[in-house]
Amino acid sequence: MIETSPSSPAPVDVVLPCLDEAEALPWVLDRIPSGWRAIVVDNGSTDGSADIARALGAHVVHEPRRGFGAACHAGLTAATADIVCFCDCDASLDPALLPTVAGPVLDGSADLVLGRRRPVTRRAWPLHARLANLELARLIRRRTGLRLHDLGPMRAARRESLHALDLTDRRSGYPLQMVVRAADAGWRVVETEVPYRPRTGRSKVTGTWLGTWHAVRDMRAVLAERPALDPVSAATAPGTGR
């Protein structure tokens, strides 16, 4: 359920999945590029995150179904801009860097851009999460041929093209399903490096071994999916000649 009305159309919408991020929200929202619209998807917070986001001018969406994918997809559904970015809402990634991530999509040189995380300190990325990410990158290369290094949570793509992928995962597999289906559709998927800082608060996924196990389980299910028989290519961007 969308609680606030969209303001004037923004060139880019930024989807921010949110579960108890009251401490991080002021910094995150202050770093959203000027003129871009922040869509905070509250996924059942009990710390007043939705009220804080609303007070700071964000467009607030409530998604009662728990799950990272459910929150991301609710934000995508609420988006109206041609370009949609996704970014974690825990201050581990700097939204001020989003123009660098979205740039290749805006200029038509890429269809999906992933922010490859580069930890600024050892504690920014727990060892078990880093090892799981390395294994996931290997499996992605084997499944899709894409030589990626990270399933970056900071990413950008065209809204209509993302809808055409018909993403169905509503848990931890959502980011992976986006990449796999984009690869199956022949999208140009690229990475760009972004600094990765210790998050504010505790991670709901990779902060624990159990959370990491659940994420791996969800992602294995995505990797086991058969490629679509009729893949949907990325939508042609105006002025790109594609």
Side-chain angles (χ1 to χ4, degrees):
M1 179 181 66
I2 300 173
E3 286 203 343
T4 58
S5 300
S7 56
S8 57
V12 178
D13 281 333
V14 182
V15 175
L16 299 159
C18 176
L19 176 58
D20 293 332
E21 305 290 5
E23 187 178 352
L25 270 168
W27 184 86
V28 170
L29 293 176
D30 184 59
R31 305 287 291 176
I32 298 294
S34 178
W36 293 21
R37 183 171 66 138
I39 301 177
V40 174
V41 184
D42 184 65
N43 201 208
S45 299
T46 58
D47 65 350
S49 288
D51 292 335
I52 293 171
R54 192 179 299 108
L56 292 171
H59 178 55
V60 177
V61 175
H62 279 291
E63 175 47 72
R65 294 173 298 173
R66 282 293 181 92
F68 183 75
C72 286
H73 204 72
L76 176 60
T77 301
T80 57
D82 183 33
I83 306 296
V84 177
C85 292
F86 296 85
C87 184
D88 283 352
C89 199
D90 57 13
S92 62
L93 296 164
D94 186 352
L97 300 176
L98 283 170
T100 300
V101 176
V105 179
L106 285 163
D107 67 23
S109 61
D111 301 310
L112 174 62
V113 181
L114 308 176
R116 180 185 178 183
R117 291 169 288 183
R118 289 295 200 181
V120 298
T121 66
R122 287 188 177 183
R123 67 187 186 90
W125 208 348
L127 178 60
H128 61 274
R130 196 177 306 194
L131 292 174
N133 191 70
L134 288 172
E135 173 63 9
L136 181 59
R138 185 186 68 83
L139 293 174
I140 291 173
R141 284 195 294 272
R142 188 172 70 180
R143 166 65 175 78
T144 68
L146 293 174
R147 298 191 65 81
L148 300 176
H149 302 85
D150 183 21
L151 192 65
M154 179 181 276
R155 52 183 59 194
R158 293 193 176 274
R159 176 175 56 85
E160 291 185 1
S161 300
L162 288 170
H163 280 297
L165 291 178
D166 192 25
L167 301 175
T168 56
D169 191 282
R170 296 295 181 265
R171 295 174 59 88
S172 301
Y174 187 88
L176 175 60
Q177 188 178 57
M178 184 186 298
V179 171
V180 169
R181 294 195 176 182
D184 288 347
W187 287 25
R188 297 164 299 171
V189 182
V190 301
E191 291 180 314
T192 185
E193 294 185 0
V194 293
Y196 191 51
R197 300 173 174 80
R199 62 157 289 142
T200 299
R202 186 187 183 199
S203 172
K204 287 79 176 176
V205 179
T206 58
T208 65
W209 283 99
L210 180 61
T212 300
W213 182 86
H214 282 303
V216 170
R217 179 196 60 188
D218 294 342
M219 291 177 184
R220 285 190 179 278
V222 170
L223 289 167
E225 291 181 357
R226 291 179 177 272
L229 295 177
D230 184 21
V232 180
S233 61
T236 301
T240 64
R242 295 179 47 226

